[in-house]
Amino acid sequence: MTAGVGGNYDVWLPEQDRMVTVKARGLFRKQGISPLIGDRVSVSQDGFLETIHTRTNQMVRPACANVDQLMVVFSFHDPEPHFMILDKFLVESQYQGILPLIVFTKSDLSNGKDTVLDAEKAYRQAGYQVYQVTTRNEGDQAVCPDLTALKAMLAGKVTVLAGPSGGGKSSLINALTGSKQEVGELSRKISRGKNTTRHARLLKTEGGGWIADTPGFTSFYTFHIPSDQLDRYYPEFVPYLDCRYPDCRHISEPGCKVIEAVGKGAVSPFRYRSYCSLYDEVCRYEKEHPHYKEDL
């Protein structure tokens, strides 16, 4: 399924090489099931969605299923990057078993800011695949030194783009697919992007892949990931998780190998601070909602 708006769902039929629009039967509503983009489905000849096949994964925000990789798109400048939200997306993608990719746009506007460049270095050190896109446009298509490599990553995959409004997702999609998505401007009054994407949808790419453009966001939460599991979703921590105490949370415990790795430069202090902040946020939520795990 490639899109869904107002009870109508677009479904790509590969054997017929065409798109059809269908409606969902009332059975799904009774079962509390909502069709998602990326769903593999069966449709009837009379134009109804018959079956939603088993999902390999399911993201809540953006809402999509059967995702192979998540391309998180943040600008170097205007709007300024919110690295905590970026880290939450990285944690969520790994929790779901989805390959995360990081794309920084507007890299030519960073003016060599140390904080931005240090952050990019930290993500590369952590083992993430990081790409840069400049803001020089050619027919609303972003110029990207890594464009060929990014296109190769899309082949045969379902890739979801996620990031704040005004961060350059639509320009990047135009460059990757040759389509003409509307490119918004930044609201100067509040330094926030105008959301040109209102509904998530999948677009076909070269090489048999699909890429999802999704609405922008201003917040993101990972409260469904228990605090005592958070450390495993920081990949640079993994070699150092055999601390003195089995229940070490890497905050202030003696004999913590993660803290030692930070001191030796093997783990970025930038990323470690991110972990501590996110850990504290999740712990506060768990304390305020003591029965939340029962609903997971």
Side-chain angles (χ1 to χ4, degrees), residues 70-76 79 81 86 89 101-106 131 133 150 159-173 176 211-214 216-217:
L70 177 69
M71 190 179 293
V72 192
V73 183
F74 275 72
S75 69
F76 268 161
L86 170 54
F89 264 104
L101 310 173
I102 302 173
V103 177
F104 286 119
T105 64
K106 307 181 184 180
Y131 303 87
V133 181
L150 279 176
T159 304
V160 170
L161 267 70
S165 301
K169 297 193 304 297
S170 295
S171 292
L172 180 58
I173 281 185
L176 291 171
I211 189 168
D213 190 10
T214 64
F217 57 84

PDB file of all heavy atoms in Angstrom, residues 70-76 79 81 86 89 101-106 131 133 150 159-173 176 211-214 216-217:
ATOM      1  N   LEU A  70      15.505   3.590   7.604  1.00  0.00           N
ATOM      2  CA  LEU A  70      14.996   4.907   7.969  1.00  0.00           C
ATOM      3  C   LEU A  70      16.066   5.942   7.656  1.00  0.00           C
ATOM      4  O   LEU A  70      17.174   5.875   8.184  1.00  0.00           O
ATOM      5  CB  LEU A  70      14.641   4.954   9.452  1.00  0.00           C
ATOM      6  CG  LEU A  70      14.157   6.297   9.992  1.00  0.00           C
ATOM      7  CD1 LEU A  70      12.787   6.648   9.429  1.00  0.00           C
ATOM      8  CD2 LEU A  70      14.108   6.269  11.517  1.00  0.00           C
ATOM      9  N   MET A  71      15.732   6.885   6.782  1.00  0.00           N
ATOM     10  CA  MET A  71      16.642   7.955   6.417  1.00  0.00           C
ATOM     11  C   MET A  71      16.227   9.202   7.198  1.00  0.00           C
ATOM     12  O   MET A  71      15.211   9.829   6.895  1.00  0.00           O
ATOM     13  CB  MET A  71      16.595   8.209   4.903  1.00  0.00           C
ATOM     14  CG  MET A  71      17.677   9.143   4.395  1.00  0.00           C
ATOM     15  SD  MET A  71      17.592   9.369   2.588  1.00  0.00           S
ATOM     16  CE  MET A  71      18.033   7.724   2.010  1.00  0.00           C
ATOM     17  N   VAL A  72      17.002   9.528   8.236  1.00  0.00           N
ATOM     18  CA  VAL A  72      16.676  10.661   9.088  1.00  0.00           C
ATOM     19  C   VAL A  72      17.344  11.905   8.525  1.00  0.00           C
ATOM     20  O   VAL A  72      18.573  11.950   8.401  1.00  0.00           O
ATOM     21  CB  VAL A  72      17.130  10.419  10.536  1.00  0.00           C
ATOM     22  CG1 VAL A  72      16.521  11.464  11.462  1.00  0.00           C
ATOM     23  CG2 VAL A  72      16.750   9.020  11.003  1.00  0.00           C
ATOM     24  N   VAL A  73      16.534  12.901   8.173  1.00  0.00           N
ATOM     25  CA  VAL A  73      17.015  14.090   7.461  1.00  0.00           C
ATOM     26  C   VAL A  73      16.945  15.307   8.386  1.00  0.00           C
ATOM     27  O   VAL A  73      15.864  15.704   8.815  1.00  0.00           O
ATOM     28  CB  VAL A  73      16.183  14.346   6.187  1.00  0.00           C
ATOM     29  CG1 VAL A  73      16.734  15.543   5.418  1.00  0.00           C
ATOM     30  CG2 VAL A  73      16.169  13.099   5.298  1.00  0.00           C
ATOM     31  N   PHE A  74      18.100  15.883   8.681  1.00  0.00           N
ATOM     32  CA  PHE A  74      18.189  17.079   9.515  1.00  0.00           C
ATOM     33  C   PHE A  74      19.066  18.108   8.817  1.00  0.00           C
ATOM     34  O   PHE A  74      20.044  17.745   8.156  1.00  0.00           O
ATOM     35  CB  PHE A  74      18.784  16.759  10.885  1.00  0.00           C
ATOM     36  CG  PHE A  74      17.793  16.275  11.899  1.00  0.00           C
ATOM     37  CD1 PHE A  74      17.238  15.009  11.796  1.00  0.00           C
ATOM     38  CD2 PHE A  74      17.399  17.080  12.955  1.00  0.00           C
ATOM     39  CE1 PHE A  74      16.319  14.548  12.726  1.00  0.00           C
ATOM     40  CE2 PHE A  74      16.484  16.636  13.892  1.00  0.00           C
ATOM     41  CZ  PHE A  74      15.938  15.374  13.779  1.00  0.00           C
ATOM     42  N   SER A  75      18.723  19.369   8.968  1.00  0.00           N
ATOM     43  CA  SER A  75      19.531  20.432   8.373  1.00  0.00           C
ATOM     44  C   SER A  75      20.658  20.838   9.308  1.00  0.00           C
ATOM     45  O   SER A  75      20.533  20.774  10.533  1.00  0.00           O
ATOM     46  CB  SER A  75      18.662  21.649   8.041  1.00  0.00           C
ATOM     47  OG  SER A  75      18.223  22.286   9.228  1.00  0.00           O
ATOM     48  N   PHE A  76      21.769  21.263   8.723  1.00  0.00           N
ATOM     49  CA  PHE A  76      22.860  21.841   9.499  1.00  0.00           C
ATOM     50  C   PHE A  76      22.483  23.217  10.043  1.00  0.00           C
ATOM     51  O   PHE A  76      23.032  23.681  11.027  1.00  0.00           O
ATOM     52  CB  PHE A  76      24.104  21.978   8.613  1.00  0.00           C
ATOM     53  CG  PHE A  76      25.036  20.804   8.666  1.00  0.00           C
ATOM     54  CD1 PHE A  76      25.973  20.605   7.660  1.00  0.00           C
ATOM     55  CD2 PHE A  76      25.009  19.906   9.709  1.00  0.00           C
ATOM     56  CE1 PHE A  76      26.858  19.540   7.697  1.00  0.00           C
ATOM     57  CE2 PHE A  76      25.890  18.836   9.759  1.00  0.00           C
ATOM     58  CZ  PHE A  76      26.813  18.653   8.743  1.00  0.00           C
ATOM     59  N   PRO A  79      16.196  25.203   9.784  1.00  0.00           N
ATOM     60  CA  PRO A  79      16.214  25.227  11.245  1.00  0.00           C
ATOM     61  C   PRO A  79      17.450  24.515  11.818  1.00  0.00           C
ATOM     62  O   PRO A  79      17.986  23.602  11.217  1.00  0.00           O
ATOM     63  CB  PRO A  79      14.940  24.474  11.618  1.00  0.00           C
ATOM     64  CG  PRO A  79      14.744  23.505  10.492  1.00  0.00           C
ATOM     65  CD  PRO A  79      15.196  24.237   9.257  1.00  0.00           C
ATOM     66  N   PRO A  81      19.653  22.029  13.965  1.00  0.00           N
ATOM     67  CA  PRO A  81      19.385  20.622  14.263  1.00  0.00           C
ATOM     68  C   PRO A  81      19.093  20.381  15.738  1.00  0.00           C
ATOM     69  O   PRO A  81      19.738  20.980  16.610  1.00  0.00           O
ATOM     70  CB  PRO A  81      20.686  19.922  13.840  1.00  0.00           C
ATOM     71  CG  PRO A  81      21.733  20.983  13.927  1.00  0.00           C
ATOM     72  CD  PRO A  81      21.049  22.271  13.560  1.00  0.00           C
ATOM     73  N   LEU A  86      16.965  13.598  16.843  1.00  0.00           N
ATOM     74  CA  LEU A  86      17.681  12.719  15.914  1.00  0.00           C
ATOM     75  C   LEU A  86      18.070  11.420  16.612  1.00  0.00           C
ATOM     76  O   LEU A  86      17.853  10.324  16.079  1.00  0.00           O
ATOM     77  CB  LEU A  86      18.925  13.438  15.387  1.00  0.00           C
ATOM     78  CG  LEU A  86      19.932  12.600  14.575  1.00  0.00           C
ATOM     79  CD1 LEU A  86      19.256  11.890  13.421  1.00  0.00           C
ATOM     80  CD2 LEU A  86      21.078  13.483  14.084  1.00  0.00           C
ATOM     81  N   PHE A  89      15.190   9.030  17.037  1.00  0.00           N
ATOM     82  CA  PHE A  89      14.878   8.295  15.811  1.00  0.00           C
ATOM     83  C   PHE A  89      15.871   7.161  15.594  1.00  0.00           C
ATOM     84  O   PHE A  89      15.497   6.065  15.150  1.00  0.00           O
ATOM     85  CB  PHE A  89      14.880   9.232  14.603  1.00  0.00           C
ATOM     86  CG  PHE A  89      13.521   9.734  14.239  1.00  0.00           C
ATOM     87  CD1 PHE A  89      13.137  11.016  14.547  1.00  0.00           C
ATOM     88  CD2 PHE A  89      12.606   8.913  13.603  1.00  0.00           C
ATOM     89  CE1 PHE A  89      11.880  11.493  14.225  1.00  0.00           C
ATOM     90  CE2 PHE A  89      11.346   9.369  13.272  1.00  0.00           C
ATOM     91  CZ  PHE A  89      10.973  10.665  13.582  1.00  0.00           C
ATOM     92  N   LEU A 101      19.889   5.600   8.495  1.00  0.00           N
ATOM     93  CA  LEU A 101      20.809   6.404   7.695  1.00  0.00           C
ATOM     94  C   LEU A 101      20.617   7.860   8.114  1.00  0.00           C
ATOM     95  O   LEU A 101      19.490   8.292   8.348  1.00  0.00           O
ATOM     96  CB  LEU A 101      20.517   6.262   6.193  1.00  0.00           C
ATOM     97  CG  LEU A 101      20.382   4.849   5.623  1.00  0.00           C
ATOM     98  CD1 LEU A 101      19.919   4.901   4.178  1.00  0.00           C
ATOM     99  CD2 LEU A 101      21.708   4.108   5.726  1.00  0.00           C
ATOM    100  N   ILE A 102      21.692   8.619   8.187  1.00  0.00           N
ATOM    101  CA  ILE A 102      21.609  10.025   8.570  1.00  0.00           C
ATOM    102  C   ILE A 102      21.994  10.886   7.377  1.00  0.00           C
ATOM    103  O   ILE A 102      23.048  10.681   6.761  1.00  0.00           O
ATOM    104  CB  ILE A 102      22.544  10.342   9.745  1.00  0.00           C
ATOM    105  CG1 ILE A 102      22.210   9.465  10.958  1.00  0.00           C
ATOM    106  CG2 ILE A 102      22.453  11.821  10.123  1.00  0.00           C
ATOM    107  CD1 ILE A 102      23.211   9.607  12.102  1.00  0.00           C
ATOM    108  N   VAL A 103      21.138  11.839   7.043  1.00  0.00           N
ATOM    109  CA  VAL A 103      21.434  12.790   5.974  1.00  0.00           C
ATOM    110  C   VAL A 103      21.353  14.198   6.554  1.00  0.00           C
ATOM    111  O   VAL A 103      20.317  14.605   7.078  1.00  0.00           O
ATOM    112  CB  VAL A 103      20.444  12.659   4.800  1.00  0.00           C
ATOM    113  CG1 VAL A 103      20.745  13.714   3.736  1.00  0.00           C
ATOM    114  CG2 VAL A 103      20.517  11.260   4.182  1.00  0.00           C
ATOM    115  N   PHE A 104      22.460  14.931   6.469  1.00  0.00           N
ATOM    116  CA  PHE A 104      22.489  16.330   6.879  1.00  0.00           C
ATOM    117  C   PHE A 104      22.360  17.210   5.638  1.00  0.00           C
ATOM    118  O   PHE A 104      23.164  17.107   4.706  1.00  0.00           O
ATOM    119  CB  PHE A 104      23.786  16.662   7.618  1.00  0.00           C
ATOM    120  CG  PHE A 104      23.843  16.117   9.014  1.00  0.00           C
ATOM    121  CD1 PHE A 104      24.831  15.219   9.377  1.00  0.00           C
ATOM    122  CD2 PHE A 104      22.922  16.503   9.970  1.00  0.00           C
ATOM    123  CE1 PHE A 104      24.896  14.718  10.674  1.00  0.00           C
ATOM    124  CE2 PHE A 104      22.973  16.006  11.265  1.00  0.00           C
ATOM    125  CZ  PHE A 104      23.957  15.114  11.618  1.00  0.00           C
ATOM    126  N   THR A 105      21.328  18.055   5.628  1.00  0.00           N
ATOM    127  CA  THR A 105      21.122  18.963   4.511  1.00  0.00           C
ATOM    128  C   THR A 105      21.665  20.350   4.843  1.00  0.00           C
ATOM    129  O   THR A 105      22.015  20.636   5.986  1.00  0.00           O
ATOM    130  CB  THR A 105      19.624  19.082   4.175  1.00  0.00           C
ATOM    131  OG1 THR A 105      18.932  19.684   5.285  1.00  0.00           O
ATOM    132  CG2 THR A 105      19.022  17.712   3.907  1.00  0.00           C
ATOM    133  N   LYS A 106      21.728  21.193   3.817  1.00  0.00           N
ATOM    134  CA  LYS A 106      22.175  22.589   3.967  1.00  0.00           C
ATOM    135  C   LYS A 106      23.570  22.662   4.581  1.00  0.00           C
ATOM    136  O   LYS A 106      23.878  23.565   5.360  1.00  0.00           O
ATOM    137  CB  LYS A 106      21.178  23.394   4.800  1.00  0.00           C
ATOM    138  CG  LYS A 106      19.734  23.322   4.288  1.00  0.00           C
ATOM    139  CD  LYS A 106      18.793  24.148   5.130  1.00  0.00           C
ATOM    140  CE  LYS A 106      17.353  23.981   4.671  1.00  0.00           C
ATOM    141  NZ  LYS A 106      16.401  24.788   5.477  1.00  0.00           N
ATOM    142  N   TYR A 131      25.529  11.070   5.471  1.00  0.00           N
ATOM    143  CA  TYR A 131      25.652  11.701   4.160  1.00  0.00           C
ATOM    144  C   TYR A 131      25.384  13.194   4.300  1.00  0.00           C
ATOM    145  O   TYR A 131      24.726  13.638   5.234  1.00  0.00           O
ATOM    146  CB  TYR A 131      24.667  11.090   3.161  1.00  0.00           C
ATOM    147  CG  TYR A 131      24.806   9.597   2.999  1.00  0.00           C
ATOM    148  CD1 TYR A 131      24.131   8.721   3.848  1.00  0.00           C
ATOM    149  CD2 TYR A 131      25.607   9.055   1.997  1.00  0.00           C
ATOM    150  CE1 TYR A 131      24.257   7.338   3.707  1.00  0.00           C
ATOM    151  CE2 TYR A 131      25.739   7.666   1.850  1.00  0.00           C
ATOM    152  CZ  TYR A 131      25.061   6.822   2.713  1.00  0.00           C
ATOM    153  OH  TYR A 131      25.188   5.464   2.568  1.00  0.00           O
ATOM    154  N   VAL A 133      24.125  16.834   2.128  1.00  0.00           N
ATOM    155  CA  VAL A 133      23.454  17.410   0.963  1.00  0.00           C
ATOM    156  C   VAL A 133      23.585  18.915   1.066  1.00  0.00           C
ATOM    157  O   VAL A 133      23.346  19.491   2.129  1.00  0.00           O
ATOM    158  CB  VAL A 133      21.960  17.030   0.931  1.00  0.00           C
ATOM    159  CG1 VAL A 133      21.287  17.609  -0.308  1.00  0.00           C
ATOM    160  CG2 VAL A 133      21.797  15.528   0.961  1.00  0.00           C
ATOM    161  N   LEU A 150      23.468   7.253  -2.273  1.00  0.00           N
ATOM    162  CA  LEU A 150      22.143   7.223  -1.661  1.00  0.00           C
ATOM    163  C   LEU A 150      21.146   6.489  -2.553  1.00  0.00           C
ATOM    164  O   LEU A 150      20.325   5.706  -2.076  1.00  0.00           O
ATOM    165  CB  LEU A 150      21.650   8.645  -1.391  1.00  0.00           C
ATOM    166  CG  LEU A 150      22.175   9.319  -0.123  1.00  0.00           C
ATOM    167  CD1 LEU A 150      21.679  10.758  -0.050  1.00  0.00           C
ATOM    168  CD2 LEU A 150      21.748   8.565   1.120  1.00  0.00           C
ATOM    169  N   THR A 159      12.216   2.599   2.066  1.00  0.00           N
ATOM    170  CA  THR A 159      12.952   3.584   2.850  1.00  0.00           C
ATOM    171  C   THR A 159      12.013   4.694   3.284  1.00  0.00           C
ATOM    172  O   THR A 159      11.283   5.249   2.467  1.00  0.00           O
ATOM    173  CB  THR A 159      14.101   4.187   2.021  1.00  0.00           C
ATOM    174  OG1 THR A 159      14.943   3.137   1.546  1.00  0.00           O
ATOM    175  CG2 THR A 159      14.919   5.156   2.858  1.00  0.00           C
ATOM    176  N   VAL A 160      12.039   5.011   4.557  1.00  0.00           N
ATOM    177  CA  VAL A 160      11.208   6.095   5.084  1.00  0.00           C
ATOM    178  C   VAL A 160      12.095   7.287   5.407  1.00  0.00           C
ATOM    179  O   VAL A 160      13.119   7.141   6.069  1.00  0.00           O
ATOM    180  CB  VAL A 160      10.444   5.648   6.341  1.00  0.00           C
ATOM    181  CG1 VAL A 160       9.780   6.833   7.029  1.00  0.00           C
ATOM    182  CG2 VAL A 160       9.395   4.614   5.978  1.00  0.00           C
ATOM    183  N   LEU A 161      11.695   8.458   4.902  1.00  0.00           N
ATOM    184  CA  LEU A 161      12.357   9.694   5.271  1.00  0.00           C
ATOM    185  C   LEU A 161      11.628  10.312   6.451  1.00  0.00           C
ATOM    186  O   LEU A 161      10.405  10.345   6.475  1.00  0.00           O
ATOM    187  CB  LEU A 161      12.367  10.691   4.112  1.00  0.00           C
ATOM    188  CG  LEU A 161      13.605  10.661   3.206  1.00  0.00           C
ATOM    189  CD1 LEU A 161      13.601   9.368   2.398  1.00  0.00           C
ATOM    190  CD2 LEU A 161      13.623  11.862   2.282  1.00  0.00           C
ATOM    191  N   ALA A 162      12.374  10.792   7.413  1.00  0.00           N
ATOM    192  CA  ALA A 162      11.780  11.453   8.569  1.00  0.00           C
ATOM    193  C   ALA A 162      12.672  12.612   8.977  1.00  0.00           C
ATOM    194  O   ALA A 162      13.893  12.538   8.866  1.00  0.00           O
ATOM    195  CB  ALA A 162      11.611  10.474   9.728  1.00  0.00           C
ATOM    196  N   GLY A 163      12.050  13.682   9.423  1.00  0.00           N
ATOM    197  CA  GLY A 163      12.806  14.842   9.857  1.00  0.00           C
ATOM    198  C   GLY A 163      11.890  16.024  10.043  1.00  0.00           C
ATOM    199  O   GLY A 163      10.711  15.982   9.671  1.00  0.00           O
ATOM    200  N   PRO A 164      12.399  17.104  10.615  1.00  0.00           N
ATOM    201  CA  PRO A 164      11.570  18.277  10.880  1.00  0.00           C
ATOM    202  C   PRO A 164      11.182  18.997   9.602  1.00  0.00           C
ATOM    203  O   PRO A 164      11.843  18.884   8.572  1.00  0.00           O
ATOM    204  CB  PRO A 164      12.466  19.153  11.757  1.00  0.00           C
ATOM    205  CG  PRO A 164      13.851  18.750  11.380  1.00  0.00           C
ATOM    206  CD  PRO A 164      13.785  17.286  11.076  1.00  0.00           C
ATOM    207  N   SER A 165      10.082  19.737   9.660  1.00  0.00           N
ATOM    208  CA  SER A 165       9.665  20.552   8.532  1.00  0.00           C
ATOM    209  C   SER A 165      10.758  21.574   8.214  1.00  0.00           C
ATOM    210  O   SER A 165      11.401  22.112   9.109  1.00  0.00           O
ATOM    211  CB  SER A 165       8.361  21.278   8.860  1.00  0.00           C
ATOM    212  OG  SER A 165       7.340  20.365   9.178  1.00  0.00           O
ATOM    213  N   GLY A 166      10.951  21.811   6.934  1.00  0.00           N
ATOM    214  CA  GLY A 166      11.960  22.776   6.526  1.00  0.00           C
ATOM    215  C   GLY A 166      13.359  22.225   6.479  1.00  0.00           C
ATOM    216  O   GLY A 166      14.314  22.943   6.172  1.00  0.00           O
ATOM    217  N   GLY A 167      13.507  20.924   6.761  1.00  0.00           N
ATOM    218  CA  GLY A 167      14.839  20.327   6.795  1.00  0.00           C
ATOM    219  C   GLY A 167      15.359  19.871   5.452  1.00  0.00           C
ATOM    220  O   GLY A 167      16.518  19.474   5.352  1.00  0.00           O
ATOM    221  N   GLY A 168      14.519  19.876   4.424  1.00  0.00           N
ATOM    222  CA  GLY A 168      14.985  19.530   3.084  1.00  0.00           C
ATOM    223  C   GLY A 168      14.576  18.163   2.590  1.00  0.00           C
ATOM    224  O   GLY A 168      15.139  17.656   1.618  1.00  0.00           O
ATOM    225  N   LYS A 169      13.554  17.527   3.218  1.00  0.00           N
ATOM    226  CA  LYS A 169      13.146  16.185   2.791  1.00  0.00           C
ATOM    227  C   LYS A 169      12.598  16.190   1.363  1.00  0.00           C
ATOM    228  O   LYS A 169      12.927  15.319   0.562  1.00  0.00           O
ATOM    229  CB  LYS A 169      12.082  15.616   3.737  1.00  0.00           C
ATOM    230  CG  LYS A 169      12.554  15.408   5.154  1.00  0.00           C
ATOM    231  CD  LYS A 169      11.579  14.549   5.971  1.00  0.00           C
ATOM    232  CE  LYS A 169      10.174  15.127   5.993  1.00  0.00           C
ATOM    233  NZ  LYS A 169      10.141  16.459   6.643  1.00  0.00           N
ATOM    234  N   SER A 170      11.752  17.169   1.050  1.00  0.00           N
ATOM    235  CA  SER A 170      11.136  17.196  -0.280  1.00  0.00           C
ATOM    236  C   SER A 170      12.177  17.426  -1.368  1.00  0.00           C
ATOM    237  O   SER A 170      12.134  16.784  -2.428  1.00  0.00           O
ATOM    238  CB  SER A 170      10.049  18.276  -0.345  1.00  0.00           C
ATOM    239  OG  SER A 170       8.987  17.966   0.531  1.00  0.00           O
ATOM    240  N   SER A 171      13.130  18.334  -1.123  1.00  0.00           N
ATOM    241  CA  SER A 171      14.204  18.558  -2.101  1.00  0.00           C
ATOM    242  C   SER A 171      15.025  17.289  -2.296  1.00  0.00           C
ATOM    243  O   SER A 171      15.421  16.960  -3.419  1.00  0.00           O
ATOM    244  CB  SER A 171      15.116  19.698  -1.632  1.00  0.00           C
ATOM    245  OG  SER A 171      14.446  20.933  -1.668  1.00  0.00           O
ATOM    246  N   LEU A 172      15.276  16.577  -1.213  1.00  0.00           N
ATOM    247  CA  LEU A 172      16.054  15.352  -1.312  1.00  0.00           C
ATOM    248  C   LEU A 172      15.296  14.293  -2.100  1.00  0.00           C
ATOM    249  O   LEU A 172      15.875  13.590  -2.940  1.00  0.00           O
ATOM    250  CB  LEU A 172      16.391  14.837   0.091  1.00  0.00           C
ATOM    251  CG  LEU A 172      17.218  13.554   0.166  1.00  0.00           C
ATOM    252  CD1 LEU A 172      18.543  13.715  -0.562  1.00  0.00           C
ATOM    253  CD2 LEU A 172      17.450  13.157   1.619  1.00  0.00           C
ATOM    254  N   ILE A 173      13.992  14.168  -1.854  1.00  0.00           N
ATOM    255  CA  ILE A 173      13.194  13.197  -2.609  1.00  0.00           C
ATOM    256  C   ILE A 173      13.207  13.541  -4.088  1.00  0.00           C
ATOM    257  O   ILE A 173      13.307  12.654  -4.955  1.00  0.00           O
ATOM    258  CB  ILE A 173      11.760  13.141  -2.061  1.00  0.00           C
ATOM    259  CG1 ILE A 173      11.729  12.304  -0.785  1.00  0.00           C
ATOM    260  CG2 ILE A 173      10.791  12.550  -3.079  1.00  0.00           C
ATOM    261  CD1 ILE A 173      10.372  12.073  -0.213  1.00  0.00           C
ATOM    262  N   LEU A 176      16.409  12.279  -5.445  1.00  0.00           N
ATOM    263  CA  LEU A 176      16.540  10.822  -5.447  1.00  0.00           C
ATOM    264  C   LEU A 176      15.607  10.139  -6.436  1.00  0.00           C
ATOM    265  O   LEU A 176      15.910   9.055  -6.934  1.00  0.00           O
ATOM    266  CB  LEU A 176      16.274  10.272  -4.040  1.00  0.00           C
ATOM    267  CG  LEU A 176      17.319  10.602  -2.978  1.00  0.00           C
ATOM    268  CD1 LEU A 176      16.827  10.195  -1.600  1.00  0.00           C
ATOM    269  CD2 LEU A 176      18.646   9.917  -3.290  1.00  0.00           C
ATOM    270  N   ILE A 211      10.254   4.895  -1.583  1.00  0.00           N
ATOM    271  CA  ILE A 211      10.693   5.862  -0.591  1.00  0.00           C
ATOM    272  C   ILE A 211       9.475   6.623  -0.084  1.00  0.00           C
ATOM    273  O   ILE A 211       8.608   7.021  -0.859  1.00  0.00           O
ATOM    274  CB  ILE A 211      11.740   6.824  -1.209  1.00  0.00           C
ATOM    275  CG1 ILE A 211      12.356   7.702  -0.121  1.00  0.00           C
ATOM    276  CG2 ILE A 211      11.168   7.659  -2.340  1.00  0.00           C
ATOM    277  CD1 ILE A 211      13.594   8.457  -0.597  1.00  0.00           C
ATOM    278  N   ALA A 212       9.398   6.773   1.221  1.00  0.00           N
ATOM    279  CA  ALA A 212       8.237   7.412   1.840  1.00  0.00           C
ATOM    280  C   ALA A 212       8.588   8.818   2.292  1.00  0.00           C
ATOM    281  O   ALA A 212       9.535   9.011   3.055  1.00  0.00           O
ATOM    282  CB  ALA A 212       7.749   6.596   3.035  1.00  0.00           C
ATOM    283  N   ASP A 213       7.810   9.775   1.784  1.00  0.00           N
ATOM    284  CA  ASP A 213       7.885  11.135   2.294  1.00  0.00           C
ATOM    285  C   ASP A 213       6.857  11.247   3.410  1.00  0.00           C
ATOM    286  O   ASP A 213       5.730  10.774   3.283  1.00  0.00           O
ATOM    287  CB  ASP A 213       7.566  12.134   1.171  1.00  0.00           C
ATOM    288  CG  ASP A 213       7.876  13.564   1.584  1.00  0.00           C
ATOM    289  OD1 ASP A 213       8.496  13.760   2.641  1.00  0.00           O
ATOM    290  OD2 ASP A 213       7.493  14.486   0.838  1.00  0.00           O
ATOM    291  N   THR A 214       7.237  11.842   4.518  1.00  0.00           N
ATOM    292  CA  THR A 214       6.353  11.895   5.675  1.00  0.00           C
ATOM    293  C   THR A 214       6.260  13.325   6.191  1.00  0.00           C
ATOM    294  O   THR A 214       7.183  14.123   5.997  1.00  0.00           O
ATOM    295  CB  THR A 214       6.869  10.989   6.808  1.00  0.00           C
ATOM    296  OG1 THR A 214       8.131  11.483   7.265  1.00  0.00           O
ATOM    297  CG2 THR A 214       7.029   9.557   6.313  1.00  0.00           C
ATOM    298  N   GLY A 216       6.540  16.550   8.581  1.00  0.00           N
ATOM    299  CA  GLY A 216       7.554  16.931   9.554  1.00  0.00           C
ATOM    300  C   GLY A 216       7.016  16.856  10.965  1.00  0.00           C
ATOM    301  O   GLY A 216       5.840  16.574  11.195  1.00  0.00           O
ATOM    302  N   PHE A 217       7.863  17.095  11.934  1.00  0.00           N
ATOM    303  CA  PHE A 217       7.474  16.950  13.333  1.00  0.00           C
ATOM    304  C   PHE A 217       8.244  17.957  14.180  1.00  0.00           C
ATOM    305  O   PHE A 217       9.244  18.529  13.745  1.00  0.00           O
ATOM    306  CB  PHE A 217       7.775  15.541  13.839  1.00  0.00           C
ATOM    307  CG  PHE A 217       9.230  15.181  13.674  1.00  0.00           C
ATOM    308  CD1 PHE A 217      10.170  15.561  14.614  1.00  0.00           C
ATOM    309  CD2 PHE A 217       9.655  14.488  12.555  1.00  0.00           C
ATOM    310  CE1 PHE A 217      11.509  15.255  14.446  1.00  0.00           C
ATOM    311  CE2 PHE A 217      10.995  14.185  12.384  1.00  0.00           C
ATOM    312  CZ  PHE A 217      11.912  14.566  13.343  1.00  0.00           C
TER     313      PHE A 217
END
